mmCIF file of all heavy atoms in Angstrom:
data_model
loop_
_atom_site.group_PDB
_atom_site.id
_atom_site.type_symbol
_atom_site.label_atom_id
_atom_site.label_comp_id
_atom_site.label_asym_id
_atom_site.label_seq_id
_atom_site.Cartn_x
_atom_site.Cartn_y
_atom_site.Cartn_z
ATOM 1 N N PHE A 1 98.036 89.909 70.786
ATOM 2 C CA PHE A 1 99.405 90.116 71.237
ATOM 3 C C PHE A 1 99.425 90.930 72.551
ATOM 4 O O PHE A 1 100.079 90.511 73.515
ATOM 5 C CB PHE A 1 100.204 90.845 70.169
ATOM 6 C CG PHE A 1 101.565 91.272 70.593
ATOM 7 C CD1 PHE A 1 102.653 90.378 70.565
ATOM 8 C CD2 PHE A 1 101.817 92.555 71.046
ATOM 9 C CE1 PHE A 1 103.904 90.755 70.956
ATOM 10 C CE2 PHE A 1 103.070 92.949 71.465
ATOM 11 C CZ PHE A 1 104.141 92.066 71.405
ATOM 12 N N ALA A 2 98.720 92.027 72.545
ATOM 13 C CA ALA A 2 98.689 92.886 73.748
ATOM 14 C C ALA A 2 98.025 92.160 74.895
ATOM 15 O O ALA A 2 98.480 92.237 76.037
ATOM 16 C CB ALA A 2 97.967 94.166 73.414
ATOM 17 N N ARG A 3 96.940 91.474 74.609
ATOM 18 C CA ARG A 3 96.252 90.743 75.691
ATOM 19 C C ARG A 3 97.114 89.652 76.272
ATOM 20 O O ARG A 3 97.129 89.401 77.487
ATOM 21 C CB ARG A 3 94.923 90.118 75.167
ATOM 22 C CG ARG A 3 93.925 91.178 74.738
ATOM 23 C CD ARG A 3 92.494 90.572 74.622
ATOM 24 N NE ARG A 3 92.467 89.378 73.776
ATOM 25 C CZ ARG A 3 92.321 89.390 72.448
ATOM 26 N NH1 ARG A 3 92.189 90.534 71.820
ATOM 27 N NH2 ARG A 3 92.299 88.254 71.746
ATOM 28 N N GLY A 4 97.899 89.003 75.407
ATOM 29 C CA GLY A 4 98.828 87.986 75.886
ATOM 30 C C GLY A 4 99.912 88.571 76.806
ATOM 31 O O GLY A 4 100.288 87.967 77.838
ATOM 32 N N LYS A 5 100.422 89.727 76.427
ATOM 33 C CA LYS A 5 101.388 90.393 77.297
ATOM 34 C C LYS A 5 100.791 90.734 78.669
ATOM 35 O O LYS A 5 101.436 90.504 79.721
ATOM 36 C CB LYS A 5 101.900 91.674 76.643
ATOM 37 C CG LYS A 5 102.829 91.501 75.450
ATOM 38 C CD LYS A 5 104.209 91.160 75.923
ATOM 39 C CE LYS A 5 105.187 91.134 74.736
ATOM 40 N NZ LYS A 5 106.388 90.385 75.046
ATOM 41 N N LEU A 6 99.606 91.259 78.632
ATOM 42 C CA LEU A 6 98.940 91.648 79.908
ATOM 43 C C LEU A 6 98.664 90.405 80.744
ATOM 44 O O LEU A 6 98.773 90.459 82.000
ATOM 45 C CB LEU A 6 97.660 92.386 79.618
ATOM 46 C CG LEU A 6 97.827 93.782 78.978
ATOM 47 C CD1 LEU A 6 96.499 94.384 78.621
ATOM 48 C CD2 LEU A 6 98.588 94.692 79.921
ATOM 49 N N ARG A 7 98.317 89.323 80.102
ATOM 50 C CA ARG A 7 98.074 88.090 80.906
ATOM 51 C C ARG A 7 99.317 87.540 81.503
ATOM 52 O O ARG A 7 99.344 87.112 82.685
ATOM 53 C CB ARG A 7 97.394 87.014 80.008
ATOM 54 C CG ARG A 7 96.894 85.821 80.843
ATOM 55 C CD ARG A 7 96.007 84.924 79.997
ATOM 56 N NE ARG A 7 94.770 85.560 79.616
ATOM 57 C CZ ARG A 7 93.650 85.635 80.373
ATOM 58 N NH1 ARG A 7 93.684 85.081 81.598
ATOM 59 N NH2 ARG A 7 92.590 86.209 79.916
ATOM 60 N N ALA A 8 100.437 87.599 80.775
ATOM 61 C CA ALA A 8 101.739 87.154 81.325
ATOM 62 C C ALA A 8 102.137 88.070 82.499
ATOM 63 O O ALA A 8 102.680 87.600 83.511
ATOM 64 C CB ALA A 8 102.789 87.160 80.255
ATOM 65 N N CYS A 9 101.911 89.372 82.333
ATOM 66 C CA CYS A 9 102.174 90.325 83.429
ATOM 67 C C CYS A 9 101.369 89.962 84.673
ATOM 68 O O CYS A 9 101.885 89.911 85.781
ATOM 69 C CB CYS A 9 101.887 91.722 82.977
ATOM 70 S SG CYS A 9 101.984 92.985 84.286
ATOM 71 N N ARG A 10 100.091 89.680 84.455
ATOM 72 C CA ARG A 10 99.250 89.337 85.586
ATOM 73 C C ARG A 10 99.695 88.033 86.197
ATOM 74 O O ARG A 10 99.702 87.891 87.437
ATOM 75 C CB ARG A 10 97.767 89.275 85.109
ATOM 76 C CG ARG A 10 96.789 88.897 86.217
ATOM 77 C CD ARG A 10 95.335 89.228 85.831
ATOM 78 N NE ARG A 10 95.142 90.649 85.705
ATOM 79 C CZ ARG A 10 94.899 91.456 86.713
ATOM 80 N NH1 ARG A 10 94.867 90.980 87.980
ATOM 81 N NH2 ARG A 10 94.728 92.753 86.529
ATOM 82 N N TYR A 11 100.044 87.064 85.385
ATOM 83 C CA TYR A 11 100.517 85.798 85.925
ATOM 84 C C TYR A 11 101.733 85.979 86.810
ATOM 85 O O TYR A 11 101.821 85.446 87.907
ATOM 86 C CB TYR A 11 100.857 84.817 84.775
ATOM 87 C CG TYR A 11 101.455 83.522 85.325
ATOM 88 C CD1 TYR A 11 100.661 82.454 85.712
ATOM 89 C CD2 TYR A 11 102.826 83.388 85.462
ATOM 90 C CE1 TYR A 11 101.179 81.269 86.192
ATOM 91 C CE2 TYR A 11 103.398 82.196 85.931
ATOM 92 C CZ TYR A 11 102.557 81.174 86.353
ATOM 93 O OH TYR A 11 103.092 80.017 86.836
ATOM 94 N N HIS A 12 102.690 86.794 86.323
ATOM 95 C CA HIS A 12 103.908 86.969 87.100
ATOM 96 C C HIS A 12 103.574 87.655 88.440
ATOM 97 O O HIS A 12 104.085 87.247 89.493
ATOM 98 C CB HIS A 12 104.942 87.815 86.334
ATOM 99 C CG HIS A 12 106.255 87.931 87.026
ATOM 100 N ND1 HIS A 12 107.291 87.012 86.832
ATOM 101 C CD2 HIS A 12 106.704 88.762 87.999
ATOM 102 C CE1 HIS A 12 108.316 87.346 87.599
ATOM 103 N NE2 HIS A 12 107.981 88.417 88.320
ATOM 104 N N CYS A 13 102.760 88.674 88.400
ATOM 105 C CA CYS A 13 102.439 89.431 89.630
ATOM 106 C C CYS A 13 101.618 88.559 90.600
ATOM 107 O O CYS A 13 101.858 88.649 91.799
ATOM 108 C CB CYS A 13 101.683 90.704 89.275
ATOM 109 S SG CYS A 13 102.706 91.932 88.414
ATOM 110 N N GLU A 14 100.736 87.754 90.104
ATOM 111 C CA GLU A 14 99.841 86.991 90.987
ATOM 112 C C GLU A 14 100.474 85.651 91.410
ATOM 113 O O GLU A 14 100.274 85.220 92.534
ATOM 114 C CB GLU A 14 98.523 86.722 90.288
ATOM 115 C CG GLU A 14 97.695 87.994 90.047
ATOM 116 C CD GLU A 14 96.403 87.735 89.305
ATOM 117 O OE1 GLU A 14 96.256 86.652 88.728
ATOM 118 O OE2 GLU A 14 95.522 88.629 89.297
ATOM 119 N N ALA A 15 101.252 85.023 90.521
ATOM 120 C CA ALA A 15 101.775 83.684 90.803
ATOM 121 C C ALA A 15 103.240 83.693 91.254
ATOM 122 O O ALA A 15 103.663 82.825 92.042
ATOM 123 C CB ALA A 15 101.612 82.754 89.581
ATOM 124 N N GLU A 16 104.012 84.642 90.780
ATOM 125 C CA GLU A 16 105.468 84.651 91.051
ATOM 126 C C GLU A 16 105.848 85.616 92.120
ATOM 127 O O GLU A 16 106.759 85.326 92.922
ATOM 128 C CB GLU A 16 106.232 84.947 89.759
ATOM 129 C CG GLU A 16 106.005 83.928 88.641
ATOM 130 C CD GLU A 16 106.565 82.551 88.967
ATOM 131 O OE1 GLU A 16 107.561 82.484 89.708
ATOM 132 O OE2 GLU A 16 106.038 81.556 88.467
ATOM 133 N N LEU A 17 105.242 86.797 92.209
ATOM 134 C CA LEU A 17 105.621 87.731 93.262
ATOM 135 C C LEU A 17 105.406 87.193 94.684
ATOM 136 O O LEU A 17 106.191 87.496 95.573
ATOM 137 C CB LEU A 17 104.898 89.093 93.088
ATOM 138 C CG LEU A 17 105.429 89.970 91.956
ATOM 139 C CD1 LEU A 17 104.706 91.308 91.907
ATOM 140 C CD2 LEU A 17 106.953 90.190 92.038
ATOM 141 N N PRO A 18 104.359 86.392 94.927
ATOM 142 C CA PRO A 18 104.271 85.786 96.268
ATOM 143 C C PRO A 18 105.467 84.946 96.604
ATOM 144 O O PRO A 18 105.903 84.879 97.762
ATOM 145 C CB PRO A 18 102.981 84.965 96.190
ATOM 146 C CG PRO A 18 102.138 85.670 95.173
ATOM 147 C CD PRO A 18 103.111 86.150 94.133
ATOM 148 N N LYS A 19 106.066 84.284 95.589
ATOM 149 C CA LYS A 19 107.269 83.492 95.833
ATOM 150 C C LYS A 19 108.428 84.406 96.226
ATOM 151 O O LYS A 19 109.299 84.055 97.038
ATOM 152 C CB LYS A 19 107.614 82.677 94.589
ATOM 153 C CG LYS A 19 106.562 81.672 94.151
ATOM 154 C CD LYS A 19 106.930 80.962 92.879
ATOM 155 C CE LYS A 19 105.851 80.080 92.342
ATOM 156 N NZ LYS A 19 106.203 79.485 91.061
ATOM 157 N N ALA A 20 108.465 85.589 95.572
ATOM 158 C CA ALA A 20 109.531 86.542 95.910
ATOM 159 C C ALA A 20 109.415 86.952 97.351
ATOM 160 O O ALA A 20 110.392 87.022 98.096
ATOM 161 C CB ALA A 20 109.423 87.761 95.015
ATOM 162 N N ARG A 21 108.202 87.285 97.791
ATOM 163 C CA ARG A 21 108.015 87.731 99.170
ATOM 164 C C ARG A 21 108.367 86.610 100.150
ATOM 165 O O ARG A 21 108.883 86.881 101.237
ATOM 166 C CB ARG A 21 106.593 88.222 99.342
ATOM 167 C CG ARG A 21 106.274 89.476 98.538
ATOM 168 C CD ARG A 21 104.972 90.160 98.962
ATOM 169 N NE ARG A 21 103.812 89.340 98.637
ATOM 170 C CZ ARG A 21 103.168 89.362 97.483
ATOM 171 N NH1 ARG A 21 103.615 90.158 96.480
ATOM 172 N NH2 ARG A 21 102.078 88.657 97.286
ATOM 173 N N GLN A 22 108.092 85.401 99.753
ATOM 174 C CA GLN A 22 108.431 84.252 100.637
ATOM 175 C C GLN A 22 109.940 84.134 100.774
ATOM 176 O O GLN A 22 110.479 83.954 101.897
ATOM 177 C CB GLN A 22 107.892 82.963 100.045
ATOM 178 C CG GLN A 22 108.181 81.724 100.896
ATOM 179 C CD GLN A 22 107.645 80.427 100.269
ATOM 180 O OE1 GLN A 22 107.177 80.461 99.117
ATOM 181 N NE2 GLN A 22 107.653 79.357 101.016
ATOM 182 N N ASN A 23 110.696 84.264 99.667
ATOM 183 C CA ASN A 23 112.142 84.226 99.724
ATOM 184 C C ASN A 23 112.704 85.370 100.569
ATOM 185 O O ASN A 23 113.623 85.176 101.363
ATOM 186 C CB ASN A 23 112.719 84.282 98.306
ATOM 187 C CG ASN A 23 112.981 82.905 97.721
ATOM 188 O OD1 ASN A 23 113.784 82.144 98.268
ATOM 189 N ND2 ASN A 23 112.364 82.614 96.615
ATOM 190 N N LEU A 24 112.142 86.553 100.351
ATOM 191 C CA LEU A 24 112.666 87.745 101.071
ATOM 192 C C LEU A 24 112.365 87.628 102.581
ATOM 193 O O LEU A 24 113.211 88.004 103.377
ATOM 194 C CB LEU A 24 112.054 89.009 100.480
ATOM 195 C CG LEU A 24 112.506 89.291 99.038
ATOM 196 C CD1 LEU A 24 111.645 90.387 98.451
ATOM 197 C CD2 LEU A 24 113.971 89.697 99.005
ATOM 198 N N ALA A 25 111.212 87.119 102.901
ATOM 199 C CA ALA A 25 110.877 86.929 104.313
ATOM 200 C C ALA A 25 111.821 85.913 104.988
ATOM 201 O O ALA A 25 112.217 86.097 106.138
ATOM 202 C CB ALA A 25 109.424 86.450 104.476
ATOM 203 N N PHE A 26 112.162 84.898 104.244
ATOM 204 C CA PHE A 26 113.138 83.916 104.750
ATOM 205 C C PHE A 26 114.472 84.548 105.034
ATOM 206 O O PHE A 26 115.096 84.337 106.093
ATOM 207 C CB PHE A 26 113.298 82.772 103.756
ATOM 208 C CG PHE A 26 114.282 81.692 104.178
ATOM 209 C CD1 PHE A 26 113.962 80.771 105.113
ATOM 210 C CD2 PHE A 26 115.528 81.658 103.580
ATOM 211 C CE1 PHE A 26 114.849 79.782 105.495
ATOM 212 C CE2 PHE A 26 116.452 80.717 103.967
ATOM 213 C CZ PHE A 26 116.107 79.757 104.937
#
């Protein structure tokens, strides 16, 4: 359970936050 939470956290930070920065830069 804990490892799954940490993996989802890592996924969001690595895969989704770059999209955030792209939107903000735009």
Side-chain angles (χ1 to χ4, degrees):
F1 172 83
R3 295 196 307 273
K5 287 281 187 201
L6 292 175
R7 189 169 294 276
C9 173
R10 180 164 292 279
Y11 175 87
H12 186 91
C13 291
E14 293 177 346
E16 298 294 330
L17 285 184
K19 299 176 186 177
R21 294 193 292 274
Q22 181 181 9
N23 266 300
L24 293 168
F26 178 77

